[in-house]
Amino acid sequence: MKFLRKAIIILIFLFPISSSFASTVTLVDRQIFDDGGQAFQNGILFNPDGTKMFVSTSASTGNAAIDFIYEYNLSTPFDISTKTYAGDDERCDLDVGSGQYGLNPSNVGDMAFSSDGLKIFILNRGTNGSNDDRLYRYDLTIAYDVSTCAFVKDVDPDTDALAGTSFGGRPDKKKYHVQGVEINPDGTKIFLVFNDVNGEGDGVKEYNLSTPYDIATMSLVTSAGIHLSEGAEGFNPDAIFIGLNGKRLFVTDHDKFTVTQYTLHNLYDTSSFTKDGSVSIQDLTSDNNRQTRALGFSKSGFKMFVSDDEGDDEIFEFNLVCPFNLFGGKCDSIAEDKDRMGMAEAQIELANRTVKLSTNSALNRLKWIRRNKDKQNLSNQNIKLNFSNNLLSSLKELPISSFKKISSSENSNNNKNYFYWSEGSISLGRVGETSLSSMKKAKTEALTFGFDKFTDDYSLKGLAFRFGDDNVDVGSSGSRLDSNTYNITYYSTSPVQDDTKLIDKIFGIGKIRSNLLTIVDGERITADRTGNQIYGTVKLKDEFIKGKLTLIPSGQFDFAHTILKGYQESGNAGIIVNDQHVRTRNFRAAIAAVEDLSKKNYSFKRHGKIEYIAELDRSSNFKYTYVNDKSVKFNDTLHTGALHNLNAEVGVDIIFPEHYSIFIIYERNQAFETGHTDNLYVALGYLPHKDTEIAFTINGSENLMSEFEIKKDINGFDLIFNLNDDLTRFGDAREAYIELNKVF
């Protein structure tokens, strides 16, 4: 009870709401795009990371045609104020190698990229009574490098098969012209916007492509389409954009200078939809002399770009409060953004990973104890603690101070009262991209210090103190989760019936401190989050000894509960997250083996394990609102990991006669269909010897500095290993060095 009581003492120290009809669009910037000498900006596209912007233009200067796709470099992603014209050598000349009908120099229209950036679809806008409507495909040899463009084919959307009679049954299909184009990610659907000069056939038409991205295989979907003339958006629709993974459709109106938003009831399906409303770009820019043409959005949908072909031929940049949405009360879940979902999942995985690794450290220690039943070589260091920090000085009477009781020159039975150990671990993990979440790469480095004591010949109790540095890269845009974890774990083992049937018990608490960095359309969104943990494990095992081989079947049950505190992100695209509960229940069944291959001069044991793990509780509710639109509260259920998992490990124990020991384990955790984690454990042991000095010190008042030093006299040479660490700082505030000195 005294031991538990002392352990418990250690634990103690250780914008306004908007209505559904309110616009939530804010003007950020306006830029003139005239570096290439172009007249009208008819199409706007970006590469995925927002560092390149593409503008399709057409005009005529005398008899000289200007039909190009111009490229601009953005030093800040999706920030048009940082644009730099890439130069004439980096543009696509649309008049070179064009198709059967060629391009009208004054009517190059909207454009769209394929999902891999290797194909561009661009329009030639016909005029009243002409047959110049064309849809062109150009291929690029290098993704998103328009200077490598080459004409492939074109089609006439005014043919009987492609024009149809869906809007008013007009027999004269040549009295309207194509204005906008969009394509779905897999290239099986394409959408065209038409303007009817009579004001009867303005609309979005939907086409299927029997061969992906092959416009020669287009067929009109007669049961779909949006008749724009039924609303108040005007009679001159221009560009189209589909975002939110196929859920939101936007159309600009050239004459009324508006953007109209639709919500599609089925993804990339215009047969059923809801009109959310229109926003006036004139009102947002406070300029009535405007006419829209091009429309574009950033990758994550928090920025919208609209071009104007009157006056200075500007492109306007707007901020949105939530992805691909122009109206308050109509925000959608972050589930539509893979990096966002990846960051949310990474926090749950961090909680589970910390519990697992802390538990494994204690279990590894108990394995070592059972493999060295003679109770020799169970200590690794004689530690002294020097505290200048006031709080730490107050802990002198706690059991940790008993580290001072053992002299490095002693080798008496008192050495067996307490045994000391340390463990270093490196864990590398990867969770592949899913339909909802980006790929995640995790790296955890940890140091564990522990001490334990035998209560009888086979029963043992101990405490372990673990510090972990955990880093997760989410997606490819620079989003990261950087965390420090602190855990205290109590562990024990005792026989059930005899010395071969044992029960291991583990109980621990922990604290998590995390820094979140989410990159949304080039904007750095940051937040801090903390969490508290409690966890436990019960493990039953038996040993069957046959000569030098020991087989160890076992069953194990794990439980944990982590409370992650709420937080609010910075930035326009930020979210406010509520407290989150992460619960864990695991069942494990394993068979382990140990083979004793010791020689006369050293002890050598190799061991391995195969284990099945059923993760019975893998979901957590993620509750949040957007910072600038709190009218909708979200409650997303996040599922992480897999129900079925397989764990395999191999390792060796080596004990040398010079009082040194080493314990190494490589572990692979394979989650069925989701990913894997690789862990490497290295534990070093040492029985105190008079020629070796080992010290662990903690010093500081405002900054808490730790120093771990080993000094050994080897034939008159001093071999010194030193590790310094600032315990109050995140990141890499640490240094290590090795010295070999000789005094003559």
Side-chain angles (χ1 to χ4, degrees):
M1 290 299 296
K2 290 183 178 180
F3 185 90
L4 185 59
R5 186 164 58 249
K6 292 180 179 181
I8 294 174
I9 297 175
I10 296 177
L11 304 184
I12 295 175
F13 287 97
L14 274 172
F15 272 18
I17 298 176
S18 305
S19 71
S20 60
F21 303 97
S23 171
T24 55
V25 184
T26 306
L27 177 65
V28 176
D29 198 8
R30 56 202 301 170
Q31 292 287 321
I32 298 174
F33 280 71
D34 60 359
D35 299 320
Q38 65 269 33
F40 302 137
Q41 297 82 34
N42 299 316
I44 299 173
L45 294 173
F46 297 88
N47 67 339
D49 65 7
T51 58
K52 288 186 177 184
M53 181 179 184
F54 308 92
V55 180
S56 63
T57 65
S58 68
S60 60
T61 303
N63 294 323
I66 305 174
D67 300 292
F68 297 107
I69 300 175
Y70 289 92
E71 179 180 319
Y72 298 85
N73 297 318
L74 306 181
S75 58
T76 300
F78 301 107
D79 183 350
I80 62 175
S81 68
T82 66
K83 65 179 175 67
T84 301
Y85 178 51
D88 291 351
D89 293 337
E90 297 299 320
R91 65 190 181 182
C92 171
D93 187 348
L94 297 170
D95 290 320
V96 176
S98 53
Q100 177 183 356
Y101 302 97
L103 289 174
N104 187 322
S106 64
N107 285 304
V108 172
D110 195 15
M111 60 180 178
F113 268 127
S114 62
S115 57
D116 59 5
L118 291 172
K119 302 174 182 63
I120 295 179
F121 302 86
I122 193 164
L123 300 175
N124 183 72
R125 299 177 294 129
T127 58
N128 184 22
S130 76
N131 67 344
D132 292 336
D133 281 343
R134 290 291 177 273
L135 170 62
Y136 291 82
R137 173 181 146 184
Y138 286 74
D139 285 1
L140 312 180
T141 57
I142 301 174
Y144 302 102
D145 184 351
V146 295
S147 68
T148 65
C149 69
F151 169 80
V152 176
K153 63 180 63 177
D154 63 348
V155 297
D156 179 6
D158 290 336
T159 62
D160 290 336
L162 298 181
T165 58
S166 57
F167 303 138
R170 296 172 296 104
D172 190 355
K173 57 185 177 295
K174 294 182 180 179
K175 290 187 179 294
Y176 67 113
H177 45 272
V178 67
Q179 301 266 77
V181 59
E182 181 67 293
I183 192 165
N184 72 337
D186 64 8
T188 59
K189 285 182 177 286
I190 199 164
F191 303 83
L192 301 180
V193 175
F194 291 89
N195 168 239
D196 185 349
V197 297
N198 296 322
E200 299 175 356
D202 299 330
V204 179
K205 291 183 180 291
E206 178 181 326
Y207 303 84
N208 290 329
L209 282 70
S210 58
T211 301
Y213 298 113
D214 187 353
I215 57 178
T217 67
M218 290 173 54
S219 61
L220 179 67
V221 182
T222 58
S223 60
I226 302 175
H227 191 185
L228 302 175
S229 295
E230 293 177 350
E233 53 270 28
F235 302 100
N236 197 355
D238 213 319
I240 181 177
F241 191 96
I242 300 179
L244 207 64
N245 298 323
K247 187 176 181 178
R248 288 276 161 73
L249 184 147
F250 304 86
V251 179
T252 61
D253 182 81
H254 181 263
D255 296 338
K256 292 188 178 292
F257 204 37
T258 59
V259 179
T260 301
Q261 174 178 306
Y262 297 84
T263 295
L264 306 181
H265 298 166
N266 297 299
L267 303 183
Y268 296 102
D269 183 357
T270 57
S271 63
S272 180
F273 57 87
T274 299
K275 180 182 175 181
D276 300 323
S278 302
V279 297
S280 172
I281 305 301
Q282 289 180 341
D283 294 342
L284 294 172
T285 60
S286 301
D287 193 339
N288 293 324
N289 187 28
R290 298 292 167 187
Q291 292 184 322
T292 62
R293 280 203 182 267
L295 175 67
F297 284 80
S298 58
K299 179 184 179 182
S300 298
F302 282 93
K303 289 188 176 184
M304 179 177 70
F305 304 84
V306 180
S307 76
D308 163 46
D309 66 5
E310 289 289 330
D312 295 326
D313 297 319
E314 294 177 301
I315 293 179
F316 300 92
E317 177 183 328
F318 302 91
N319 277 345
L320 312 181
V321 300
C322 56
F324 300 102
N325 177 60
L326 309 181
F327 302 97
K330 293 185 176 295
C331 290
D332 280 85
S333 164
I334 63 169
E336 307 295 341
D337 188 312
K338 288 190 174 184
D339 281 6
R340 282 285 204 176
M341 286 296 290
M343 181 62 70
E345 291 179 355
Q347 298 175 66
I348 302 174
E349 293 162 356
L350 166 67
N352 293 333
R353 183 167 57 251
T354 300
V355 168
K356 178 182 177 181
L357 295 178
S358 299
T359 300
N360 282 354
S361 292
L363 291 175
N364 288 337
R365 173 60 177 174
L366 294 176
K367 293 175 187 177
W368 170 268
I369 295 292
R370 290 300 298 173
R371 291 196 297 269
N372 295 272
K373 300 176 184 178
D374 56 1
K375 304 178 188 178
Q376 299 298 312
N377 300 296
L378 299 182
S379 287
N380 73 331
Q381 53 197 17
N382 179 33
I383 300 178
K384 67 179 179 179
L385 297 172
N386 299 317
F387 299 110
S388 59
N389 179 275
N390 293 330
L391 175 62
L392 294 175
S393 295
S394 66
L395 304 179
K396 289 182 178 180
E397 302 304 318
L398 298 181
I400 196 170
S401 65
S402 65
F403 288 165
K404 297 181 179 180
K405 293 180 180 180
I406 301 176
S407 169
S408 61
S409 62
E410 293 180 352
N411 197 16
S412 65
N413 290 332
N414 289 332
N415 277 359
K416 297 182 181 180
N417 290 336
Y418 286 99
F419 299 96
Y420 316 106
W421 59 276
S422 63
E423 179 187 86
S425 65
I426 301 175
S427 176
L428 302 175
R430 180 184 182 276
V431 179
E433 182 177 356
T434 68
S435 60
L436 296 177
S437 172
S438 296
M439 180 187 67
K440 299 181 288 291
K441 294 181 180 179
K443 179 181 180 182
T444 304
E445 299 174 328
L447 285 175
T448 303
F449 300 92
F451 67 97
D452 40 49
K453 178 181 181 180
F454 278 94
T455 59
D456 54 44
D457 286 344
Y458 302 103
S459 301
L460 177 139
K461 299 178 180 180
L463 275 180
F465 306 84
R466 179 182 181 274
F467 169 76
D469 185 26
D470 195 288
N471 309 108
V472 184
D473 292 323
V474 181
S476 57
S477 300
S479 298
R480 284 179 61 87
L481 176 67
D482 296 325
S483 307
N484 287 148
T485 58
Y486 311 86
N487 295 82
I488 300 175
T489 305
Y490 166 81
Y491 58 93
S492 70
T493 187
S494 58
V496 178
Q497 294 178 348
D498 51 46
D499 65 339
T500 65
K501 296 179 175 63
L502 301 158
I503 180 170
D504 298 339
K505 291 172 286 186
I506 293 173
F507 173 81
I509 65 170
K511 191 171 188 64
I512 299 173
R513 299 183 181 272
S514 298
N515 298 136
L516 291 75
L517 171 62
T518 308
I519 306 298
V520 179
D521 294 335
E523 179 183 359
R524 295 171 59 89
I525 298 177
T526 61
D528 297 328
R529 193 176 204 183
T530 62
N532 299 310
Q533 298 185 298
I534 185 170
Y535 52 92
T537 291
V538 178
K539 182 176 183 178
L540 295 172
K541 57 188 179 183
D542 201 354
E543 296 180 353
F544 299 91
I545 303 174
K546 295 184 178 181
K548 295 184 177 183
L549 182 65
T550 302
L551 297 177
I552 309 169
S554 64
Q556 178 177 331
F557 179 74
D558 309 318
F559 66 90
H561 189 177
T562 301
I563 301 177
L564 298 174
K565 299 296 184 179
Y567 64 94
Q568 178 172 331
E569 294 181 334
S570 65
N572 175 74
I575 58 176
I576 303 172
V577 180
N578 294 359
D579 289 356
Q580 182 179 2
H581 295 260
V582 182
R583 298 176 178 87
T584 303
R585 292 180 299 125
N586 299 330
F587 172 75
R588 309 189 192 195
I591 181 71
V594 180
E595 186 177 17
D596 191 344
L597 301 176
S598 301
K599 302 295 182 181
K600 181 178 180 181
N601 296 326
Y602 63 91
S603 173
F604 181 88
K605 297 175 183 178
R606 62 184 180 185
H607 43 85
K609 180 188 72 173
I610 187 74
E611 180 179 47
Y612 167 77
I613 306 171
E615 295 187 3
L616 306 177
D617 204 346
R618 299 179 294 112
S619 63
S620 177
N621 290 337
F622 192 70
K623 301 178 181 180
Y624 62 96
T625 64
Y626 286 93
V627 171
N628 293 324
D629 186 5
K630 303 181 181 69
S631 56
V632 181
K633 301 183 184 296
F634 298 93
N635 186 357
D636 294 344
T637 300
L638 306 182
H639 301 274
T640 61
L643 174 60
H644 304 290
N645 304 265
L646 197 63
N647 173 281
E649 69 175 45
V650 293
V652 295
D653 298 346
I654 305 175
I655 302 175
F656 300 97
E658 292 84 4
H659 308 284
Y660 295 102
S661 61
I662 186 170
F663 168 37
I664 302 174
I665 289 180
Y666 168 75
E667 180 185 56
R668 162 62 69 96
N669 297 286
Q670 183 68 55
F672 291 11
E673 300 180 356
T674 61
H676 69 270
T677 303
D678 296 309
N679 301 320
L680 178 64
Y681 300 94
V682 180
L684 301 176
Y686 177 69
L687 271 179
H689 191 274
K690 65 180 182 179
D691 293 330
T692 301
E693 301 176 14
I694 303 176
F696 178 69
T697 61
I698 299 178
N699 300 287
S701 54
E702 295 182 358
N703 292 330
L704 194 60
M705 300 297 300
S706 70
E707 178 177 327
F708 178 65
E709 182 177 275
I710 301 176
K711 180 179 178 182
K712 181 169 179 64
D713 184 356
I714 303 176
N715 297 326
F717 289 85
D718 287 336
L719 179 64
I720 302 173
F721 169 77
N722 189 286
L723 176 65
N724 297 312
D725 195 1
D726 187 346
L727 301 178
T728 62
R729 292 179 59 190
F730 290 166
D732 298 324
R734 59 181 64 90
E735 61 179 6
Y737 60 84
I738 298 175
E739 294 183 6
L740 185 64
N741 300 323
K742 173 70 174 179
V743 179
F744 297 92

